[in-house]
């Protein structure tokens, strides 16, 4: 089943030609290969690409596509297409089927999977299940697609999860994390991962927050992105007002807080407000909260990492809720 695709990709590697082939062989292979090639360039448009890639030795149409890729505003392109890209066996294995569109795999990893040499049998099973939408790429293409220095040899194009405001507000006793202008992708990803672990209902973000579909954010979420409801809003202040009208008590993590974070009761509907890494919360945003709280610190530390602060607060609420409920 897989051996034909592997032989074709190895042949392309020996001849020095870039080959993109549909994994299963048989009738219509040429048409499937052309379709895979178009899908690959769609994939390339959605991922970071070094400027030097645009001058790589491709055919005229491929070179043109690579040139466009270097000029794309990637977050905008991802939003327009409604998809994003994940990389690595763990992410590709954990992503729910309903979000998956297609896989791209290197010949080396394909040989490992087809020969049952992989230690990760669940991953091997998933690739076999998706064989009709799995395409073989060379190591050179994988290096161009990858966002890391050491490509993992497997990529997937997936649909973006999305939620309506009605879904975000539809919780009996919610616990929200409100993020204002978080800029570091790793921080946002860690917040998502911790929020899921702490039982947070949803993450609500200002429009100035980093793109949740940034490759670094995706890696940091460790697949929580597919399970944690989230929403970007144009006016975070207005959303705070809406939450308060619905009985949600909002606590702002703030250096000017009058109470230590362990003092309030978080067992009711509540939300934590976390600000930008460098500047914290805007004063006009902080003033909208019901209360400012502070995480006490020793030594000469002025502030904590945004993801760390969020984690401390979310787990404090989780602890109180477990003990009372």
């Amino acid at each position: 089943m897989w051996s034909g695709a592997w032989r074709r990709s190895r042949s392309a590697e020996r001849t020095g030609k870039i080959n993109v082939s549909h994994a299963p062989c048989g009738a219509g292979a040429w048409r499937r290969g052309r379709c895979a090639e178009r899908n690959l360039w769609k994939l390339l448009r959605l991922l970071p690409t070094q400027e030097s890639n645009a001058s790589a030795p491709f055919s005229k149409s491929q070179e043109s596509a690579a040139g466009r890729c270097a000029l794309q505003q990637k977050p905008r392109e991802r939003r327009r297409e409604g998809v994003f890209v994940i990389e690595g066996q763990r992410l590709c294995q954990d992503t729910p089927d309903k979000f998956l569109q297609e896989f791209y795999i290197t010949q080396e990893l394909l040989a490992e999977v087809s020969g049952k040499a992989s230690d990760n049998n669940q991953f091997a099973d998933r690739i076999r299940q998706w064989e009709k939408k799995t395409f073989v790429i060379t190591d050179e293409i994988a290096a161009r697609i990858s966002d890391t220095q050491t490509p993992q040899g497997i990529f997937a194009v997936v649909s973006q999860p999305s939620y309506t405001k009605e879904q975000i507000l539809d919780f009996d006793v919610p616990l929200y994390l409100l993020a204002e202008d978080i800029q570091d992708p790793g921080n946002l990803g860690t917040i998502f991962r911790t929020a899921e672990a702490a039982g947070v209902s949803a993450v609500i973000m200002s429009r100035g927050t980093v793109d949740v579909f940034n490759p670094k954010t995706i890696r940091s979420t460790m697949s929580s992105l597919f399970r944690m409801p989230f929403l970007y809003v144009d006016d975070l202040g207005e959303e705070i007002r809406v939450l308060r009208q619905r009985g949600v008590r909002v606590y702002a993590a703030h250096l000017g807080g009058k109470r230590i974070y362990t003092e309030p009761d978080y067992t009711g509907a509540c939300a934590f407000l976390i600000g930008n890494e460098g500047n914290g919360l805007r004063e006009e945003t902080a003033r909208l909260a019901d209360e400012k709280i502070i995480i006490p610190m020793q030594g000469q530390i002025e502030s904590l990492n945004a993801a760390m602060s969020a984690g401390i607060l979310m787990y404090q609420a989780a602890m109180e809720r477990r003990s009372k409920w």
Side-chain angles (χ1 to χ4, degrees), residues 2-229:
W2 292 92
S3 58
W6 184 80
R7 285 196 300 272
R8 289 195 298 273
S9 61
R10 293 295 293 171
S11 173
E13 183 179 40
R14 287 194 299 270
T15 59
K17 297 179 180 178
I18 292 176
N19 178 52
V20 182
S21 58
H22 196 284
C25 51
W30 181 85
R31 289 192 299 273
R32 290 194 297 271
R34 293 295 293 170
C35 177
E37 183 182 41
R38 290 193 297 271
N39 287 334
L40 177 59
W41 290 112
K42 175 182 176 182
L43 172 66
L44 283 172
R45 287 201 307 272
L46 302 175
L47 284 163
T49 304
Q50 297 177 355
E51 292 182 2
S52 58
N53 289 342
S55 59
F58 291 123
S59 68
K60 183 175 181 180
S61 61
Q62 292 172 332
E63 184 176 339
S64 174
R68 289 196 301 273
C69 173
L71 299 174
Q72 291 288 355
Q73 295 293 326
K74 304 305 182 302
R76 183 181 303 170
E77 183 70 8
R78 289 193 291 267
R79 286 193 295 270
R80 188 180 70 82
E81 296 283 349
V83 298
F84 65 106
V85 177
I86 57 175
E87 176 182 3
Q89 293 190 26
R90 179 65 183 273
L91 278 173
C92 289
Q93 175 185 306
D94 291 348
T95 301
D97 281 344
K98 66 180 181 179
F99 295 112
L100 286 170
Q101 292 192 5
E102 54 202 13
F103 286 104
Y104 293 86
I105 189 170
T106 62
Q107 57 266 37
E108 180 180 355
L109 187 55
L110 175 62
E112 192 177 319
V113 171
S114 61
K116 297 184 179 180
S118 171
D119 330 11
N120 194 336
N121 292 328
Q122 290 181 336
F123 169 71
D125 290 343
R126 164 151 279 195
I127 293 300
R128 291 191 184 93
Q129 291 168 1
W130 280 78
E131 61 173 306
K132 293 183 178 180
K133 290 193 175 182
T134 297
F135 304 94
V136 178
I137 56 175
T138 65
D139 291 342
E140 181 180 355
I141 289 293
R144 296 187 58 176
I145 296 173
S146 179
D147 181 60
T148 64
Q149 292 185 346
T150 307
Q152 299 184 51
I154 178 68
F155 308 86
V157 177
V158 297
S159 302
Q160 295 181 1
S162 62
Y163 302 86
T164 64
K165 184 181 293 188
E166 289 70 26
Q167 289 174 312
I168 296 297
L169 296 176
D170 189 23
F171 294 95
D172 292 334
V173 188
L175 171 60
Y176 295 113
L177 192 287
L178 312 179
E180 181 180 55
D181 297 352
I182 298 295
Q183 295 300 295
D184 183 82
N187 277 341
L188 185 61
T190 301
I191 286 173
F192 266 71
R193 186 179 178 184
T194 309
E196 181 187 11
V200 168
S201 306
V203 176
I204 301 176
M205 299 166 284
S206 67
R207 193 65 68 184
T209 296
V210 66
D211 182 15
V212 72
F213 301 113
N214 179 293
K216 292 180 181 178
T217 305
I218 294 164
R219 285 197 300 274
S220 298
T221 68
M222 291 296 291
S223 300
S224 290
L225 175 66
F226 298 108
R227 299 181 293 270
M228 174 53 56

Side-chain angles (χ1 to χ4, degrees), residues 165 179 204-209 231-240:
K165 184 181 293 188
I204 301 176
M205 299 166 284
S206 67
R207 193 65 68 184
T209 296
L231 185 69
Y232 280 95
V233 295
D234 294 321
D235 188 341
L236 186 60
E238 179 58 29
E239 296 307 314
I240 293 172

